[in-house]
Amino acid sequence: MAHRWTGVFPAVTTKFNADESLDLAATTRHIRWQIECGADGIIVCGSLGEASTLTAEEKITILKAAKEVAGDKPVLLTVAEDSTRAACALAQAAHAAGADGIMLLPAMRYVSDERETLTHYQRVADVSPLPIMIYNNPVAYGVNITPAMYAQMADEPKYVAIKESSGDIRTLTNIINAVGDRFAIFSGVDDLALESLMMGADGWVAGLVVAFPKETVAIYRLARAGRWDEARRIYRWFAPLLHLDVSMKLVQNLKLAETMVGMGTEHVRAPRMPLTGTERERVQAVIEAGLASRPVLPAL
């Protein structure tokens, strides 16, 4: 199947000023850099984009700003709301604002069962014409979309992709065994990305790409070309950095990395606060070590 979405889709951070207001200029500058470095699409206002601290109006503002600089690359808005009603409203607003698709999560806070989860997704699909990336992250959000559920969802044409973040590499094979190539499957866990590509993933919704876009794109393209030894060499260098994404402090960790490569600040929205003390020193040391040993990338 020729999927509409493949490749590296950065889940970009949301840039703030020191007073926690949106810094749209910095946000668009960063998105433009991601595109210039080879990103195949952009996802805004996800977990890494501090979605839980943004109003619906701010999410649409960020979406519109991203669309202005993304060129012909698809821009997806994350829909992660507390209720199905709110998710439907945001999906409709995303379409009106020019989104190319949405990345849809189960409703937040309440842990829905299978029937409720499937109904939530279908109700959003019913009210918006946008294609949908189904985001499954049971570790963070408590709801698990199983391969058997994907088989039930396969008849809805608006579901076109899956962001697989269960943390279990076996899940990817189980999905493919259940639904074949019906959906484009994206790895959603940075430090399982190469393993996922090896097992048949079509793309990578990436985190550390926000500070290391060229390396992320290189790993993806080498893997797709079957150049596994070269991909592994970069991935092994990258692994300590990629582990920073699998953390409750992923936003602070990655914003520190952005700052250290000159493409952002550490400004976050409360209740988050920038890293301090020994915690900051540990993360900074990981980033410094990565920068000091940055590999020369092969021709692609």
Side-chain angles (χ1 to χ4, degrees):
M1 179 180 291
H3 295 293
R4 72 173 73 197
W5 296 331
T6 59
V8 174
F9 278 48
V12 295
T13 55
T14 300
K15 307 297 188 290
F16 297 113
N17 297 303
D19 64 358
E20 299 190 11
S21 61
L22 293 180
D23 186 345
L24 290 177
T27 299
T28 55
R29 181 169 62 252
H30 182 257
I31 291 171
R32 186 180 294 110
W33 181 53
Q34 296 289 308
I35 298 295
E36 290 171 350
C37 291
D40 299 290
I42 297 291
I43 300 176
V44 297
C45 304
S47 304
L48 186 54
E50 297 177 68
S52 62
T53 72
L54 300 171
T55 67
E57 292 75 16
E58 286 176 323
K59 292 174 184 179
I60 296 301
T61 297
I62 293 165
L63 167 65
K64 290 179 178 178
K67 284 292 295 179
E68 289 179 1
V69 297
D72 62 353
K73 304 300 183 182
V75 177
L76 281 59
L77 177 68
T78 305
V79 175
E81 310 308 306
D82 287 343
S83 70
T84 302
R85 186 172 187 163
C88 289
L90 186 57
Q92 290 173 314
H95 175 243
D100 298 290
I102 60 174
M103 184 171 73
L104 179 60
L105 281 77
M108 299 289 97
R109 300 191 190 188
Y110 175 71
V111 179
S112 54
D113 65 21
E114 178 176 322
R115 178 174 63 96
E116 292 167 328
T117 301
L118 293 172
T119 300
H120 171 81
Y121 273 86
Q122 190 60 57
R123 283 181 60 182
V124 175
D126 287 343
V127 301
S128 171
L130 292 174
I132 295 170
M133 178 182 288
I134 302 163
Y135 181 12
N136 186 43
N137 190 337
V139 176
Y141 300 114
V143 176
N144 186 34
I145 303 174
T146 65
M149 292 168 71
Y150 289 127
Q152 294 182 64
M153 301 170 87
D155 289 337
E156 172 53 67
K158 291 174 188 172
Y159 303 142
V160 301
I162 296 167
K163 179 184 175 184
E164 162 48 27
S165 298
S166 70
D168 185 345
I169 192 63
R170 295 170 294 188
T171 301
L172 196 146
T173 296
N174 292 337
I175 293 171
I176 293 172
N177 283 343
V179 296
D181 62 358
R182 164 63 182 82
F183 305 101
I185 303 176
F186 283 70
S187 172
V189 180
D190 261 6
D191 56 7
L192 277 177
L194 186 58
E195 294 87 343
S196 298
L197 292 168
M198 184 173 291
M199 296 310 298
D202 303 284
W204 180 359
V205 176
L208 263 295
V209 67
V210 298
F212 297 92
K214 291 182 179 178
E215 290 85 355
T216 305
V217 169
I219 290 169
Y220 172 78
R221 293 184 180 175
L222 289 168
R224 295 293 282 184
R227 296 163 63 179
W228 296 108
D229 287 343
E230 294 167 283
R232 274 192 293 266
R233 178 179 64 84
I234 303 168
Y235 190 65
R236 287 169 179 164
W237 159 82
F238 212 1
L241 291 158
L242 296 176
H243 296 330
L244 299 177
D245 187 61
V246 188
S247 165
M248 289 294 292
K249 297 284 184 72
L250 79 160
V251 173
Q252 294 95 319
N253 293 346
L254 272 60
K255 283 195 167 182
L256 176 56
E258 288 180 334
T259 301
M260 291 176 65
V261 300
M263 287 303 297
T265 69
E266 293 183 69
H267 299 319
V268 290
R269 269 192 180 169
R272 288 184 179 87
M273 298 177 69
L275 302 176
T276 60
T278 56
E279 185 177 35
R280 189 178 193 280
E281 291 170 2
R282 179 187 64 80
V283 175
Q284 186 173 5
V286 171
I287 300 166
E288 288 175 343
L291 290 170
S293 59
R294 209 167 187 171
V296 176
L297 300 179
L300 298 170

